[in-house]
Amino acid sequence: IFLINKYVISEMLKTGGGSIVNTSSMYGLVGTNMSFAYSASKGAINQITRSLALSYARDNIRVNAIAPGYVDTPILAMVPDGRLGKDTEIADLICFLLSDEASFITGAIVPIDGGYTAA
């Protein structure tokens, strides 16, 4: 994530701006007893996202992240809305965040997890 952002931002500075969407996880927002290293790495993505958003906002570069929950996995009972996410729902959120319709959104970590992180 760090290297991708570094090189993409370098090119965006040359072209007048742009939008980046990093992929984190719901476990970057809440802990899990399954893997502390995974949660820590996703938390790091969230902080990189926020820091870059602040650093490059005046350069017309927006940096956000999505925090997907369970998608196409058999762990349905853990999702508050009772269903799994679809890959198209994740893609739709990314497309929105990259679009001009999201021009006032930067530094956001957007959970797309069926309510998991709200519980």
Side-chain angles (χ1 to χ4, degrees), residues 1-3 12 19-20 22 25 27-28 33-34 46 52 65 70 78 91 93 96-97 102 104 115:
I1 293 291
F2 171 79
L3 290 175
M12 288 180 173
S19 180
I20 297 169
N22 292 319
S25 168
Y27 287 130
N33 61 359
M34 294 182 279
N46 295 345
L52 290 174
Y70 296 114
M78 296 178 75
L93 176 57
F96 169 72
L97 289 171
F104 199 55

Side-chain angles (χ1 to χ4, degrees), residues 1 21-32 34-47 49-50 64-71 73 90 93-94 108-114 116-118:
I1 293 291
V21 178
N22 292 319
T23 302
S24 177
S25 168
M26 65 184 181
Y27 287 130
L29 300 170
V30 297
T32 175
M34 294 182 279
S35 173
F36 72 87
Y38 182 80
S39 289
S41 71
K42 299 307 177 180
I45 291 170
N46 295 345
Q47 292 306 93
T49 298
R50 290 178 179 120
N64 294 291
I66 60 165
Y70 296 114
V71 179
T73 65
I90 306 299
L93 176 57
I94 293 169
I109 314 302
V110 183
I112 180 165
D113 60 10
Y116 186 91
T117 55

Side-chain angles (χ1 to χ4, degrees), residues 35-111:
S35 173
F36 72 87
Y38 182 80
S39 289
S41 71
K42 299 307 177 180
I45 291 170
N46 295 345
Q47 292 306 93
I48 288 170
T49 298
R50 290 178 179 120
S51 294
L52 290 174
L54 291 172
S55 296
Y56 293 100
R58 294 192 184 253
D59 295 303
N60 195 34
I61 297 174
R62 296 182 299 108
V63 186
N64 294 291
I66 60 165
Y70 296 114
V71 179
D72 298 328
T73 65
I75 311 175
L76 186 58
M78 296 178 75
V79 180
D81 76 355
R83 70 176 185 85
L84 296 174
K86 299 175 186 170
D87 54 356
T88 54
E89 292 171 312
I90 306 299
D92 289 344
L93 176 57
I94 293 169
C95 288
F96 169 72
L97 289 171
L98 290 171
S99 77
D100 289 339
E101 293 175 344
S103 63
F104 199 55
I105 301 172
T106 193
I109 314 302
V110 183

